[in-house]
Amino acid sequence: MTNMLFEHTTLGQRVLFGTGKAAHHVVTELDRLGASRPMVIAAPPEQALAETATAGTTASLWWDEVVQHVPVEVADRARTAVAEHDIDALISVGGGSTTGLAKAIALSTGIPIIAVPTTYAGSEATDVWGMTEERTKTTGVDPRVLPVAVVYDAHLSATLPVGLSVASGLNGMAHCVDSLWAPRADPINQALALEGARALNLALRGIVADPDDIEAREQALYGCYLAAVAFASAGSGLHHKICHVLGGTFDLPHAQTHATVLPYVLALNAPAVPELATRLATALGQGLAEGQDPAVGAVYALNVLRETVEAPTRLSDYGFTAEGISEAVERVLAAAPASNPVAVTEENITALLTEALTGVTPSPAALTTA
């Protein structure tokens, strides 16, 4: 970048890393906040993890109704319970849906959140909220929803099955890639995104090779945090707009949808940003050969990772059908950022979703000439 002129905002948040330290850090943060009536939010599958993370903490309320994409009616019920129990802190233990519900509560109440992630979604490090009503997912930015503290403990994510670890980690990777050219992209969040991509690339390979590799799990948390910080600064790019449509309107699973769509968005945009494509390929461990096209190299690097970790490849596996493409394209076109490196058209988004539906090998040439 030759013109070093930009405006960057760094969000204020306390982050505590420490394998096996979650319960200690949660207690410390409650004391720091002066909170004595916390609500613990954890879906039933995360109940045991939440008990571990909050050992030594007396919760005024446990809440286990957690639904992906945060339906408005679920958020309303949780807000009512918060008021009835005079809750003064929210402890979310789980993945993006759990953090998302805590954010929905904080959006209207201002109650502080202590986020304890058990996946690699990264929602805990952003001030972005999202809720779904009548098949439409609405997102926004508000400082009230940024967790005041994030507690990272690799022991809590070690129980995440390999398949979900891969999908969740590639959700984090999507934050990295989208942040390279999102509406507020700048050199700082690009640097964070590329380091996040490097860490996630190594972490996911390590987790697949040995699911009990705690160092790989720690690297995954580190990478997803950097990815989310970059995303919070850069804003929501085309990839996230597409996935919000697929999730909110068609109820596709969040992480798997991100993992599936990502290489197609990269294939669409990379030809327009060769310098960033080169840097991304390098971050993913695949430096370009002499004379190699940067876009081809970047997509190849991501494809190698996805093949190595056996990532999701077809939207059809998660309930999306060809009949939904037309409506999805219409909604994506309405939401796509004007600053996307490649002009978004009905033709190229239709081609993108058609290829993602069936799992055609992503290729820059296929989407840029469609």
Side-chain angles (χ1 to χ4, degrees):
M1 177 175 289
T2 57
N3 185 10
M4 194 65 77
L5 177 65
F6 61 90
E7 179 179 320
H8 179 87
T9 299
T10 300
L11 301 178
Q13 182 182 63
R14 185 172 166 89
V15 180
L16 300 102
F17 265 86
T19 300
K21 299 289 188 180
H24 169 72
H25 285 153
V26 168
V27 170
T28 298
E29 288 308 291
L30 286 173
D31 289 344
R32 185 174 70 90
L33 294 171
S36 59
R37 299 181 303 281
M39 176 167 84
V40 178
I41 305 172
E46 279 73 55
Q47 177 78 22
L49 294 178
E51 290 174 355
T52 297
T54 59
T57 299
T58 301
S60 292
L61 178 65
W62 282 77
W63 185 269
D64 65 1
E65 186 185 12
V66 176
V67 182
Q68 69 172 354
H69 309 303
V70 194
V72 167
E73 58 272 19
V74 173
D76 286 341
R77 285 194 287 272
R79 289 165 174 164
T80 298
V82 161
E84 290 174 348
H85 290 80
D86 195 24
I87 297 299
D88 60 2
L90 306 170
I91 305 171
S92 63
V93 184
S97 298
T98 306
T99 309
L101 178 58
K103 287 182 171 185
I105 297 169
L107 181 65
S108 63
T109 65
I111 296 173
I113 303 169
I114 300 171
V116 187
T118 61
T119 72
Y120 311 122
S123 175
E124 65 277 358
T126 79
D127 56 358
V128 178
W129 58 268
M131 284 183 280
T132 302
E133 185 173 19
E134 296 180 354
R135 299 180 67 242
T136 298
K137 186 169 185 176
T138 301
T139 62
V141 175
D142 193 295
R144 290 175 296 182
V145 309
L146 178 72
V148 298
V150 183
V151 174
Y152 287 115
D153 183 337
H155 278 166
L156 300 180
S157 62
T159 59
L160 192 66
V162 170
L164 285 178
S165 296
V166 167
S168 183
L170 287 171
N171 183 6
M173 185 71 75
H175 288 134
C176 296
V177 175
D178 226 17
S179 296
L180 296 177
W181 47 64
R184 299 190 303 276
D186 65 43
I188 294 174
N189 48 51
Q190 287 169 345
L192 292 170
L194 290 165
E195 170 62 5
R198 184 202 64 80
L200 285 167
N201 174 56
L202 296 176
L204 292 179
R205 294 169 185 268
I207 290 169
V208 169
D210 178 6
D212 296 323
D213 184 343
I214 289 298
E215 288 188 11
R217 296 282 182 176
E218 289 177 336
Q219 281 293 302
L221 291 173
Y222 165 69
C224 83
Y225 171 71
L226 291 178
V229 171
F231 174 70
S233 173
S236 183
L238 177 63
H239 171 87
H240 281 78
K241 299 301 185 184
I242 292 172
C243 291
H244 288 161
V245 167
L246 294 174
T249 302
F250 300 94
D251 200 31
L252 270 60
H254 186 82
Q256 292 87 344
T257 299
H258 279 271
T260 303
V261 169
L262 177 59
Y264 299 99
V265 178
L266 177 60
L268 176 66
N269 280 335
V273 284
E275 180 187 353
L276 290 170
T278 300
R279 294 170 68 189
L280 178 62
T282 300
L284 295 178
Q286 302 286 340
L288 299 185
E290 185 176 353
Q292 184 178 20
D293 179 84
V296 171
V299 174
Y300 171 76
L302 183 57
N303 284 341
V304 168
L305 171 62
R306 294 170 75 246
E307 183 176 350
T308 301
V309 301
E310 298 183 356
T313 57
R314 295 184 298 270
L315 291 178
S316 60
D317 290 340
Y318 303 103
F320 192 58
T321 65
E323 288 72 26
I325 290 178
S326 177
E327 181 184 1
V329 168
E330 181 180 354
R331 288 176 177 263
V332 169
L333 291 177
S339 60
N340 193 65
V342 172
V344 175
T345 66
E346 180 179 353
E347 291 73 23
N348 58 28
I349 297 302
T350 298
L352 187 156
L353 290 175
T354 300
E355 292 196 356
L357 173 69
T358 58
V360 172
T361 301
S363 166
L367 291 176
T368 53
T369 60

